PDB file of all heavy atoms in Angstrom:
ATOM      1  N   CYS A   8      61.101 233.615 146.278  1.00 95.00           N
ATOM      2  CA  CYS A   8      60.322 234.758 145.815  1.00 95.00           C
ATOM      3  C   CYS A   8      61.283 235.921 145.578  1.00 95.00           C
ATOM      4  O   CYS A   8      61.938 236.402 146.503  1.00 95.00           O
ATOM      5  CB  CYS A   8      59.265 235.126 146.863  1.00 95.00           C
ATOM      6  SG  CYS A   8      58.156 236.450 146.342  1.00 95.00           S
ATOM      7  N   VAL A   9      61.372 236.361 144.328  1.00 96.00           N
ATOM      8  CA  VAL A   9      62.395 237.296 143.877  1.00 96.00           C
ATOM      9  C   VAL A   9      61.772 238.645 143.548  1.00 96.00           C
ATOM     10  O   VAL A   9      60.688 238.727 142.970  1.00 96.00           O
ATOM     11  CB  VAL A   9      63.102 236.712 142.632  1.00 96.00           C
ATOM     12  CG1 VAL A   9      64.038 237.726 141.998  1.00 96.00           C
ATOM     13  CG2 VAL A   9      63.871 235.450 143.020  1.00 96.00           C
ATOM     14  N   SER A  10      62.476 239.718 143.895  1.00 95.00           N
ATOM     15  CA  SER A  10      62.048 241.079 143.577  1.00 95.00           C
ATOM     16  C   SER A  10      62.620 241.514 142.232  1.00 95.00           C
ATOM     17  O   SER A  10      63.694 241.060 141.822  1.00 95.00           O
ATOM     18  CB  SER A  10      62.503 242.058 144.667  1.00 95.00           C
ATOM     19  OG  SER A  10      61.884 241.771 145.904  1.00 95.00           O
ATOM     20  N   SER A  11      61.906 242.424 141.554  1.00 95.00           N
ATOM     21  CA  SER A  11      62.353 242.922 140.253  1.00 95.00           C
ATOM     22  C   SER A  11      62.532 244.437 140.223  1.00 95.00           C
ATOM     23  O   SER A  11      63.097 244.973 139.264  1.00 95.00           O
ATOM     24  CB  SER A  11      61.359 242.518 139.160  1.00 95.00           C
ATOM     25  OG  SER A  11      60.052 242.985 139.468  1.00 95.00           O
ATOM     26  N   GLN A  12      62.030 245.132 141.234  1.00 94.00           N
ATOM     27  CA  GLN A  12      62.180 246.578 141.333  1.00 94.00           C
ATOM     28  C   GLN A  12      62.412 246.961 142.791  1.00 94.00           C
ATOM     29  O   GLN A  12      62.097 246.191 143.709  1.00 94.00           O
ATOM     30  CB  GLN A  12      60.916 247.295 140.830  1.00 94.00           C
ATOM     31  CG  GLN A  12      60.602 247.083 139.362  1.00 94.00           C
ATOM     32  CD  GLN A  12      59.323 247.800 138.941  1.00 94.00           C
ATOM     33  OE1 GLN A  12      58.299 247.702 139.606  1.00 94.00           O
ATOM     34  NE2 GLN A  12      59.376 248.516 137.827  1.00 94.00           N
ATOM     35  N   VAL A  13      62.966 248.148 143.002  1.00 92.00           N
ATOM     36  CA  VAL A  13      63.043 248.713 144.350  1.00 92.00           C
ATOM     37  C   VAL A  13      61.746 249.477 144.564  1.00 92.00           C
ATOM     38  O   VAL A  13      61.537 250.551 144.017  1.00 92.00           O
ATOM     39  CB  VAL A  13      64.252 249.651 144.508  1.00 92.00           C
ATOM     40  CG1 VAL A  13      64.362 250.119 145.954  1.00 92.00           C
ATOM     41  CG2 VAL A  13      65.534 248.947 144.086  1.00 92.00           C
ATOM     42  N   GLY A  14      60.844 248.886 145.344  1.00 87.00           N
ATOM     43  CA  GLY A  14      59.519 249.447 145.494  1.00 87.00           C
ATOM     44  C   GLY A  14      58.639 249.071 144.318  1.00 87.00           C
ATOM     45  O   GLY A  14      58.945 248.155 143.548  1.00 87.00           O
ATOM     46  N   CYS A  15      57.530 249.776 144.165  1.00 87.00           N
ATOM     47  CA  CYS A  15      56.606 249.502 143.062  1.00 87.00           C
ATOM     48  C   CYS A  15      55.785 250.756 142.792  1.00 87.00           C
ATOM     49  O   CYS A  15      55.389 251.460 143.725  1.00 87.00           O
ATOM     50  CB  CYS A  15      55.674 248.337 143.415  1.00 87.00           C
ATOM     51  SG  CYS A  15      54.574 247.847 142.063  1.00 87.00           S
ATOM     52  N   ALA A  16      55.535 251.008 141.502  1.00 86.00           N
ATOM     53  CA  ALA A  16      54.814 252.223 141.114  1.00 86.00           C
ATOM     54  C   ALA A  16      53.322 252.013 140.950  1.00 86.00           C
ATOM     55  O   ALA A  16      52.593 252.979 140.732  1.00 86.00           O
ATOM     56  CB  ALA A  16      55.387 252.760 139.794  1.00 86.00           C
ATOM     57  N   LEU A  17      52.831 250.784 141.050  1.00 88.00           N
ATOM     58  CA  LEU A  17      51.443 250.519 140.681  1.00 88.00           C
ATOM     59  C   LEU A  17      50.431 250.814 141.778  1.00 88.00           C
ATOM     60  O   LEU A  17      49.242 250.915 141.516  1.00 88.00           O
ATOM     61  CB  LEU A  17      51.299 249.072 140.205  1.00 88.00           C
ATOM     62  CG  LEU A  17      52.052 248.740 138.913  1.00 88.00           C
ATOM     63  CD1 LEU A  17      51.661 247.363 138.414  1.00 88.00           C
ATOM     64  CD2 LEU A  17      51.792 249.779 137.836  1.00 88.00           C
ATOM     65  N   GLU A  18      50.849 250.891 143.002  1.00 85.00           N
ATOM     66  CA  GLU A  18      49.988 251.310 144.115  1.00 85.00           C
ATOM     67  C   GLU A  18      48.717 250.481 144.263  1.00 85.00           C
ATOM     68  O   GLU A  18      47.635 251.021 144.485  1.00 85.00           O
ATOM     69  CB  GLU A  18      49.609 252.793 143.961  1.00 85.00           C
ATOM     70  CG  GLU A  18      50.769 253.726 144.190  1.00 85.00           C
ATOM     71  CD  GLU A  18      50.323 255.182 144.251  1.00 85.00           C
ATOM     72  OE1 GLU A  18      49.575 255.627 143.361  1.00 85.00           O
ATOM     73  OE2 GLU A  18      50.706 255.865 145.205  1.00 85.00           O
ATOM     74  N   CYS A  19      48.825 249.166 144.127  1.00 88.00           N
ATOM     75  CA  CYS A  19      47.676 248.314 144.455  1.00 88.00           C
ATOM     76  C   CYS A  19      47.321 248.552 145.921  1.00 88.00           C
ATOM     77  O   CYS A  19      48.192 248.572 146.791  1.00 88.00           O
ATOM     78  CB  CYS A  19      48.015 246.853 144.202  1.00 88.00           C
ATOM     79  SG  CYS A  19      48.347 246.485 142.462  1.00 88.00           S
ATOM     80  N   ARG A  20      46.059 248.742 146.197  1.00 86.00           N
ATOM     81  CA  ARG A  20      45.642 249.264 147.498  1.00 86.00           C
ATOM     82  C   ARG A  20      45.893 248.301 148.660  1.00 86.00           C
ATOM     83  O   ARG A  20      46.002 248.742 149.800  1.00 86.00           O
ATOM     84  CB  ARG A  20      44.161 249.638 147.461  1.00 86.00           C
ATOM     85  CG  ARG A  20      43.883 250.850 146.589  1.00 86.00           C
ATOM     86  CD  ARG A  20      42.413 251.206 146.570  1.00 86.00           C
ATOM     87  NE  ARG A  20      42.162 252.378 145.743  1.00 86.00           N
ATOM     88  CZ  ARG A  20      42.174 253.628 146.180  1.00 86.00           C
ATOM     89  NH1 ARG A  20      42.415 253.874 147.463  1.00 86.00           N
ATOM     90  NH2 ARG A  20      41.927 254.628 145.360  1.00 86.00           N
ATOM     91  N   PHE A  21      45.981 247.019 148.386  1.00 87.00           N
ATOM     92  CA  PHE A  21      46.115 246.035 149.460  1.00 87.00           C
ATOM     93  C   PHE A  21      47.560 245.575 149.637  1.00 87.00           C
ATOM     94  O   PHE A  21      47.822 244.616 150.358  1.00 87.00           O
ATOM     95  CB  PHE A  21      45.244 244.814 149.146  1.00 87.00           C
ATOM     96  CG  PHE A  21      45.457 244.303 147.751  1.00 87.00           C
ATOM     97  CD1 PHE A  21      46.516 243.470 147.440  1.00 87.00           C
ATOM     98  CD2 PHE A  21      44.611 244.699 146.733  1.00 87.00           C
ATOM     99  CE1 PHE A  21      46.725 243.041 146.157  1.00 87.00           C
ATOM    100  CE2 PHE A  21      44.802 244.267 145.431  1.00 87.00           C
ATOM    101  CZ  PHE A  21      45.866 243.427 145.145  1.00 87.00           C
ATOM    102  N   CYS A  22      48.519 246.221 148.972  1.00 85.00           N
ATOM    103  CA  CYS A  22      49.906 245.762 148.950  1.00 85.00           C
ATOM    104  C   CYS A  22      50.813 246.738 149.691  1.00 85.00           C
ATOM    105  O   CYS A  22      50.827 247.936 149.396  1.00 85.00           O
ATOM    106  CB  CYS A  22      50.372 245.606 147.506  1.00 85.00           C
ATOM    107  SG  CYS A  22      52.079 245.032 147.354  1.00 85.00           S
ATOM    108  N   ALA A  23      51.595 246.219 150.646  1.00 80.00           N
ATOM    109  CA  ALA A  23      52.503 247.066 151.424  1.00 80.00           C
ATOM    110  C   ALA A  23      53.582 247.673 150.545  1.00 80.00           C
ATOM    111  O   ALA A  23      53.975 248.829 150.734  1.00 80.00           O
ATOM    112  CB  ALA A  23      53.141 246.252 152.552  1.00 80.00           C
ATOM    113  N   THR A  24      54.084 246.918 149.581  1.00 75.00           N
ATOM    114  CA  THR A  24      55.125 247.437 148.695  1.00 75.00           C
ATOM    115  C   THR A  24      54.622 248.637 147.906  1.00 75.00           C
ATOM    116  O   THR A  24      55.323 249.639 147.742  1.00 75.00           O
ATOM    117  CB  THR A  24      55.605 246.336 147.737  1.00 75.00           C
ATOM    118  OG1 THR A  24      56.001 245.196 148.483  1.00 75.00           O
ATOM    119  CG2 THR A  24      56.777 246.822 146.907  1.00 75.00           C
ATOM    120  N   GLY A  25      53.382 248.538 147.415  1.00 71.00           N
ATOM    121  CA  GLY A  25      52.825 249.638 146.641  1.00 71.00           C
ATOM    122  C   GLY A  25      52.660 250.905 147.440  1.00 71.00           C
ATOM    123  O   GLY A  25      52.668 252.010 146.879  1.00 71.00           O
ATOM    124  N   ARG A  26      52.532 250.779 148.761  1.00 74.00           N
ATOM    125  CA  ARG A  26      52.364 251.962 149.611  1.00 74.00           C
ATOM    126  C   ARG A  26      53.665 252.745 149.786  1.00 74.00           C
ATOM    127  O   ARG A  26      53.640 253.921 150.148  1.00 74.00           O
ATOM    128  CB  ARG A  26      51.859 251.528 150.997  1.00 74.00           C
ATOM    129  CG  ARG A  26      50.438 250.971 150.993  1.00 74.00           C
ATOM    130  CD  ARG A  26      49.407 252.076 150.772  1.00 74.00           C
ATOM    131  NE  ARG A  26      48.050 251.564 150.856  1.00 74.00           N
ATOM    132  CZ  ARG A  26      47.339 251.541 151.978  1.00 74.00           C
ATOM    133  NH1 ARG A  26      47.871 251.980 153.117  1.00 74.00           N
ATOM    134  NH2 ARG A  26      46.115 251.057 151.981  1.00 74.00           N
ATOM    135  N   GLN A  27      54.802 252.119 149.551  1.00 75.00           N
ATOM    136  CA  GLN A  27      56.064 252.771 149.876  1.00 75.00           C
ATOM    137  C   GLN A  27      56.622 253.597 148.726  1.00 75.00           C
ATOM    138  O   GLN A  27      57.591 254.318 148.894  1.00 75.00           O
ATOM    139  CB  GLN A  27      57.099 251.720 150.281  1.00 75.00           C
ATOM    140  CG  GLN A  27      57.554 250.851 149.113  1.00 75.00           C
ATOM    141  CD  GLN A  27      58.710 249.954 149.500  1.00 75.00           C
ATOM    142  OE1 GLN A  27      58.892 249.634 150.655  1.00 75.00           O
ATOM    143  NE2 GLN A  27      59.498 249.577 148.522  1.00 75.00           N
ATOM    144  N   GLY A  28      56.041 253.484 147.532  1.00 80.00           N
ATOM    145  CA  GLY A  28      56.558 254.239 146.400  1.00 80.00           C
ATOM    146  C   GLY A  28      57.548 253.437 145.588  1.00 80.00           C
ATOM    147  O   GLY A  28      57.781 252.254 145.828  1.00 80.00           O
ATOM    148  N   PHE A  29      58.142 254.075 144.608  1.00 85.00           N
ATOM    149  CA  PHE A  29      59.017 253.415 143.645  1.00 85.00           C
ATOM    150  C   PHE A  29      60.305 254.201 143.520  1.00 85.00           C
ATOM    151  O   PHE A  29      60.298 255.434 143.473  1.00 85.00           O
ATOM    152  CB  PHE A  29      58.319 253.338 142.286  1.00 85.00           C
ATOM    153  CG  PHE A  29      59.202 252.863 141.169  1.00 85.00           C
ATOM    154  CD1 PHE A  29      59.525 251.531 141.040  1.00 85.00           C
ATOM    155  CD2 PHE A  29      59.708 253.766 140.240  1.00 85.00           C
ATOM    156  CE1 PHE A  29      60.342 251.090 139.999  1.00 85.00           C
ATOM    157  CE2 PHE A  29      60.519 253.338 139.199  1.00 85.00           C
ATOM    158  CZ  PHE A  29      60.835 251.993 139.085  1.00 85.00           C
ATOM    159  N   ASN A  30      61.428 253.481 143.455  1.00 88.00           N
ATOM    160  CA  ASN A  30      62.701 254.157 143.276  1.00 88.00           C
ATOM    161  C   ASN A  30      63.334 253.857 141.920  1.00 88.00           C
ATOM    162  O   ASN A  30      63.589 254.740 141.129  1.00 88.00           O
ATOM    163  CB  ASN A  30      63.677 253.792 144.385  1.00 88.00           C
ATOM    164  CG  ASN A  30      64.922 254.650 144.351  1.00 88.00           C
ATOM    165  OD1 ASN A  30      64.840 255.853 144.115  1.00 88.00           O
ATOM    166  ND2 ASN A  30      66.072 254.044 144.547  1.00 88.00           N
ATOM    167  N   ARG A  31      63.551 252.562 141.620  1.00 90.00           N
ATOM    168  CA  ARG A  31      64.187 252.237 140.344  1.00 90.00           C
ATOM    169  C   ARG A  31      64.001 250.761 140.015  1.00 90.00           C
ATOM    170  O   ARG A  31      63.625 249.950 140.864  1.00 90.00           O
ATOM    171  CB  ARG A  31      65.682 252.557 140.373  1.00 90.00           C
ATOM    172  CG  ARG A  31      66.508 251.688 141.323  1.00 90.00           C
ATOM    173  CD  ARG A  31      67.998 251.977 141.140  1.00 90.00           C
ATOM    174  NE  ARG A  31      68.835 251.246 142.065  1.00 90.00           N
ATOM    175  CZ  ARG A  31      69.278 250.002 141.851  1.00 90.00           C
ATOM    176  NH1 ARG A  31      68.924 249.348 140.762  1.00 90.00           N
ATOM    177  NH2 ARG A  31      70.075 249.420 142.742  1.00 90.00           N
ATOM    178  N   ASN A  32      64.307 250.429 138.757  1.00 94.00           N
ATOM    179  CA  ASN A  32      64.352 249.039 138.330  1.00 94.00           C
ATOM    180  C   ASN A  32      65.628 248.374 138.821  1.00 94.00           C
ATOM    181  O   ASN A  32      66.677 249.029 138.950  1.00 94.00           O
ATOM    182  CB  ASN A  32      64.316 248.942 136.800  1.00 94.00           C
ATOM    183  CG  ASN A  32      62.960 249.281 136.224  1.00 94.00           C
ATOM    184  OD1 ASN A  32      61.931 248.982 136.814  1.00 94.00           O
ATOM    185  ND2 ASN A  32      62.955 249.894 135.046  1.00 94.00           N
ATOM    186  N   LEU A  33      65.563 247.098 139.080  1.00 95.00           N
ATOM    187  CA  LEU A  33      66.766 246.324 139.365  1.00 95.00           C
ATOM    188  C   LEU A  33      67.439 245.926 138.054  1.00 95.00           C
ATOM    189  O   LEU A  33      66.792 245.746 137.031  1.00 95.00           O
ATOM    190  CB  LEU A  33      66.421 245.067 140.155  1.00 95.00           C
ATOM    191  CG  LEU A  33      65.861 245.270 141.565  1.00 95.00           C
ATOM    192  CD1 LEU A  33      65.556 243.921 142.217  1.00 95.00           C
ATOM    193  CD2 LEU A  33      66.807 246.082 142.438  1.00 95.00           C
ATOM    194  N   THR A  34      68.757 245.785 138.088  1.00 95.00           N
ATOM    195  CA  THR A  34      69.485 245.260 136.941  1.00 95.00           C
ATOM    196  C   THR A  34      69.342 243.739 136.914  1.00 95.00           C
ATOM    197  O   THR A  34      68.944 243.106 137.900  1.00 95.00           O
ATOM    198  CB  THR A  34      70.968 245.611 137.028  1.00 95.00           C
ATOM    199  OG1 THR A  34      71.550 244.933 138.166  1.00 95.00           O
ATOM    200  CG2 THR A  34      71.161 247.125 137.190  1.00 95.00           C
ATOM    201  N   SER A  35      69.687 243.152 135.768  1.00 96.00           N
ATOM    202  CA  SER A  35      69.648 241.690 135.682  1.00 96.00           C
ATOM    203  C   SER A  35      70.575 241.067 136.716  1.00 96.00           C
ATOM    204  O   SER A  35      70.261 240.014 137.288  1.00 96.00           O
ATOM    205  CB  SER A  35      70.026 241.229 134.276  1.00 96.00           C
ATOM    206  OG  SER A  35      71.324 241.671 133.918  1.00 96.00           O
ATOM    207  N   ALA A  36      71.712 241.717 136.987  1.00 95.00           N
ATOM    208  CA  ALA A  36      72.638 241.205 137.999  1.00 95.00           C
ATOM    209  C   ALA A  36      71.989 241.207 139.381  1.00 95.00           C
ATOM    210  O   ALA A  36      72.150 240.265 140.161  1.00 95.00           O
ATOM    211  CB  ALA A  36      73.923 242.023 138.008  1.00 95.00           C
ATOM    212  N   GLU A  37      71.248 242.262 139.701  1.00 95.00           N
ATOM    213  CA  GLU A  37      70.604 242.349 141.012  1.00 95.00           C
ATOM    214  C   GLU A  37      69.448 241.360 141.141  1.00 95.00           C
ATOM    215  O   GLU A  37      69.143 240.891 142.244  1.00 95.00           O
ATOM    216  CB  GLU A  37      70.122 243.773 141.253  1.00 95.00           C
ATOM    217  CG  GLU A  37      71.262 244.759 141.448  1.00 95.00           C
ATOM    218  CD  GLU A  37      70.809 246.213 141.366  1.00 95.00           C
ATOM    219  OE1 GLU A  37      69.782 246.494 140.704  1.00 95.00           O
ATOM    220  OE2 GLU A  37      71.498 247.081 141.941  1.00 95.00           O
ATOM    221  N   ILE A  38      68.812 241.039 140.022  1.00 97.00           N
ATOM    222  CA  ILE A  38      67.714 240.064 140.054  1.00 97.00           C
ATOM    223  C   ILE A  38      68.268 238.658 140.229  1.00 97.00           C
ATOM    224  O   ILE A  38      67.867 237.919 141.125  1.00 97.00           O
ATOM    225  CB  ILE A  38      66.860 240.165 138.784  1.00 97.00           C
ATOM    226  CG1 ILE A  38      66.181 241.531 138.707  1.00 97.00           C
ATOM    227  CG2 ILE A  38      65.803 239.057 138.752  1.00 97.00           C
ATOM    228  CD1 ILE A  38      65.541 241.837 137.367  1.00 97.00           C
ATOM    229  N   ILE A  39      69.221 238.276 139.378  1.00 97.00           N
ATOM    230  CA  ILE A  39      69.758 236.912 139.463  1.00 97.00           C
ATOM    231  C   ILE A  39      70.587 236.741 140.728  1.00 97.00           C
ATOM    232  O   ILE A  39      70.702 235.620 141.259  1.00 97.00           O
ATOM    233  CB  ILE A  39      70.591 236.573 138.202  1.00 97.00           C
ATOM    234  CG1 ILE A  39      70.692 235.046 138.034  1.00 97.00           C
ATOM    235  CG2 ILE A  39      71.965 237.207 138.249  1.00 97.00           C
ATOM    236  CD1 ILE A  39      69.387 234.367 137.743  1.00 97.00           C
ATOM    237  N   ALA A  40      71.147 237.828 141.248  1.00 95.00           N
ATOM    238  CA  ALA A  40      71.933 237.731 142.474  1.00 95.00           C
ATOM    239  C   ALA A  40      71.102 237.233 143.650  1.00 95.00           C
ATOM    240  O   ALA A  40      71.640 236.642 144.590  1.00 95.00           O
ATOM    241  CB  ALA A  40      72.544 239.088 142.823  1.00 95.00           C
TER     242      ALA A  40
END
């Protein structure tokens, strides 16, 4: 299970990631890494 962003901006109410806010997109290197 791979991440694509640092945090998330969509704020789905039942998701812990959405509660923490959003910082930036990951690069392709950070995704494939």
